[in-house]
Amino acid sequence: MTRTLPRASYRPPADPAAVTEPVPGARRRWLRIVVLVLGALAFIFPFYYMLVGSLQKKSDTSLGGAIPRPGNLSLHNYGQINAAINLGQTLLNSIIFTAGVVLGTVVFGILVGYALAQLHYRGRGTLFAVMVLVQVVPFQLLIIPLYVQIVRSYGLADSYLGMILPFAINSTAVFVFRQYFLQVPVELFDAARIDGASELRILRSVALPLVRPALLTAILMTFIGPWNEFLWPFLVTKQHDKQPLAVALANYISTTAASAANPYGAILAGACVLAAPAVALFIAFQRHFRSTDLGSGVKG
Amino acid sequence: MTIVVPRGNRPRGKRLAAGILGRQPIGLLLSAPYAVFIAAVFAYPLGLAVWMSFHHYIFTAPGVQVPRPFVGLDNYTAVVSDPAVRQAFLNILVFLVINVPLTVALSLVLASALNAAIPFRTLFRISYYVPYVTASVAVVGVWLFLFSSGGLVNNAIGPLAPNPSWLINGFWAMPSIAIYVTWKQLGFFILLYLAALQNVPKELYEAAAVDGASKWRSFRAVTVPGVRPATTLVTLLAIITGANLFTEPYLLTNGGGPNGKSASPVLLMYQRGIEQGHPDVAAAIGVLLVLGVLLIAGVQRFLERD
């Protein structure tokens, strides 16, 4: 995706590109914008309602309730959800789980991405084929054997390692790293070799500085996986003090919510806390969340 | 892969190593962690799942040895004769029939609308992607609130509201989940289509315009065939997403209710395998699920070839 748009209808009519947007296009342009605005409202409204609902002292489901009334606003729900699931501890668990996955992906993903793109060794083709295959097989199929392996055989229940292990290297991120290294002309590495640099030295002094632009994209992509993951940490953690926020909140929704005075208020407050970091990161770095990177990552 | 040309001046040992390991054997070292990872959390569990599905398997404490006899197709027979499992597979079919066409149509239309010079383009992009980057557990909270019996949606549509309400209604529970997932994942598919639209040659649109084709006509004759490979990918990924369904029936419809009308195979895997302690039966469900996905994907590829 480029910032210079393919068919810029802002240009003066003299521009040849205007051929594709003839004058009656003005009305169609409005149609296009109406479609986009309606779509955007459908996507954003639940988030707006999440925030409003989380601040309502008494939950108001009437149409007027969608507009916040100052008299009915408070942070009471946040206190309530914090008392129920200890936001500080569960957030910390989410952060450790996510950081472990991001770290593993960045360290090992760069190494294998570089090797797959620039080095010639036996087994490279096979490894690449397997990497593509991994992205197609549904993870959920593997939960039963992984549960047997990690929880029952290795005894890693209620541990961060057990949570992180199945996600430790994100294959899509490996793909992104490989794509970046493929774009680097092989001559650059050959030049270093001729100068007598060892392969490790080349990795450190040539490859690593080059991969920096891909780093943010890969981190953002990897982040949303473990941060939002529910099923696996749900299976691995039974102790409350080890559960990530998504698991703790889900347990609250499915069990204790019924007994709370304003259950939806507390649920929505928890939902806001869970959603905020991912949404904020995404908005701040949305330029790096580009279709070309992700597209090539999934296309195989 | 690599052709190693033996050179006379290289030491014999090195030449031999290059023949076996390739020209840059350090690549093996750099790939090793990833290869081990794939073997441990992908290849081995995949094999174990198939093995378990043909054996009588029970959970044990670490290190305890128990006999795990081969039972042939017993687990599969148990799965196929279980009405709850049959219902779950039927539910997924309902889900796919609603979710896949809706996903393809909406994401292509919105991506096309987004793929032009329009004001606030970044704002639009962000609003479409936000559901995709947010945890399903968080968004489920607000959907429960919106679609509850006395919720905002029912208040807005008044007498048209189904009784019992959407998520506890045997007929509406599964379609509600299908629409929720469409909405949640759409941003990702819009992203894929936006990338594909960059590859449609501009000249084709110009030629269509010169020939007097309407916008709708050029959308059908140029855009749709132009993004055909992306459509195949979007369909396949949407099917995989559907096969993976767990969080939504678990939370949104309170464990696949009412009466298992919105249960999914993965939810059944969890209930049979981990809650009730029959991992062998759960593994058989998983194997059947993957075979089902492969079958649907194969049929889809066959149909697309036309």
Side-chain angles (χ1 to χ4, degrees), chain B residues 207-229:
Chain B
V210 168
D211 288 349
S214 68
K215 257 293 165 56
W216 169 238
R217 182 70 212 247
S218 86
F219 177 78
R220 266 182 39 206
V222 178
T223 309
V224 172
V227 297
R228 174 63 69 86

Side-chain angles (χ1 to χ4, degrees), chain A residues 36 61 120-122 171 286, chain B residues 1 20 24 31 34 128 150 155:
Chain A
L36 284 173
T61 57
H120 298 269
Y121 54 96
R122 188 164 291 260
S171 286
Q286 63 92 17
Chain B
M1 217 174 62
I20 297 167
Q24 283 136 346
S31 307
Y34 182 66
Y128 294 142
N155 284 334

